[in-house]
Amino acid sequence: MIEGFVFLDEVLDDVRWDAKYATWDNFTGKPVTGYEINRIVGTKELAVALLQAKKIAARLGYGLLLWDGYRPQCAVDSFLKWAKQPEDGYTKKKYYPKITRNELITKGYVAAHSSHSRGSAIDLTLFDLHTGKLLPMGSDFDYMDTRSHWNSCDITEEEMENRKTLCAIMESCGFKRYEYEWWHYVLKNEPYPDTYFDFSLTNSLKEMV
């Protein structure tokens, strides 16, 4: 792995994760190029900030569930390629029911570069430590619609309060939110603000070069 990156599960003791792009459960309908394992990687700085967020969340009775961290540039490229292909309807109902596949690009849901490729962005949510259930947030991960915008008017008061709780936790630990995806946060002081990495995710740190 590039120096300065770590497996987040090795730093955040017993954290929950589900690396969606390493599975068939994502908007492309299959594992994405560059994701060879279901684990999540990020910069050391990201890991330290998330560890603090995890402790604060725990004091409130919540845990963190991570969906994506570092994202290889080759994965971003594959998103663009997929979005330009003819519609097959396989994932449309779950992820982008109100727009066409090509509009994923024109409306900015899929772009040529992602803050994830810089290594200090994270997609996550909260779950109840006692029940294990995810807190309702008004939309699922990667639901490409205005309902996923942080300040959406189409969600319940409870869902909005849960978004605010997540936001308060993350901002207190040095993150800034992304207005169009309630689950997406980026470190304010990124260690690599101008670098888009392209090493694949594998089981061995040494193989990630």
Side-chain angles (χ1 to χ4, degrees), residues 175-206:
F175 289 90
K176 56 184 176 182
R177 70 176 185 240
Y178 179 49
E179 296 297 330
Y180 299 111
E181 296 175 347
W182 62 260
W183 55 81
H184 181 92
Y185 287 85
V186 183
L187 272 182
K188 291 180 180 178
N189 298 314
E190 298 182 61
Y192 309 107
D194 302 310
T195 305
Y196 293 84
F197 295 94
D198 195 26
F199 59 90
S200 295
L201 299 166
T202 67
N203 274 313
S204 171
L205 298 181
K206 294 181 180 180

Side-chain angles (χ1 to χ4, degrees), residues 105-121:
I105 297 175
T106 60
K107 292 184 178 294
Y109 292 109
V110 173
H113 290 93
S114 169
S115 56
H116 282 280
S117 299
R118 302 195 298 265
S120 293

Side-chain angles (χ1 to χ4, degrees), residues 43-54:
T43 61
K44 292 179 180 178
E45 290 82 357
L46 176 71
V48 169
L50 283 174
L51 181 59
Q52 182 183 1
K54 181 174 178 289

Side-chain angles (χ1 to χ4, degrees), residues 4 44-45 129 139 148:
K44 292 179 180 178
E45 290 82 357
L129 284 175
S139 79
S148 293

Side-chain angles (χ1 to χ4, degrees), residues 18-28 30-38 67-71 75 79 95 116 123 141-142 144 181 183 201:
D18 179 11
K20 290 294 188 182
Y21 300 129
T23 75
W24 292 80
D25 185 19
N26 64 71
F27 70 88
T28 72
K30 61 182 180 180
V32 177
T33 302
Y35 287 86
E36 299 179 20
I37 55 168
N38 191 325
W67 282 314
D68 194 32
Y70 160 70
R71 182 181 303 166
F79 288 168
Y95 291 101
H116 282 280
D123 291 338
F141 170 63
D142 264 359
M144 301 176 196
E181 296 175 347
W183 55 81
L201 299 166

Side-chain angles (χ1 to χ4, degrees), residues 60 62 126 135-138 150-152 155-169 182 185:
L60 298 173
Y62 305 125
L126 298 173
L135 270 62
M137 293 289 186
W150 191 85
N151 62 349
S152 173
I155 62 176
T156 67
E157 183 177 344
E158 178 190 9
E159 291 162 347
M160 188 69 245
E161 286 303 312
N162 289 336
R163 290 186 183 189
K164 289 180 178 179
T165 297
L166 175 61
C167 185
I169 292 170
W182 62 260
Y185 287 85

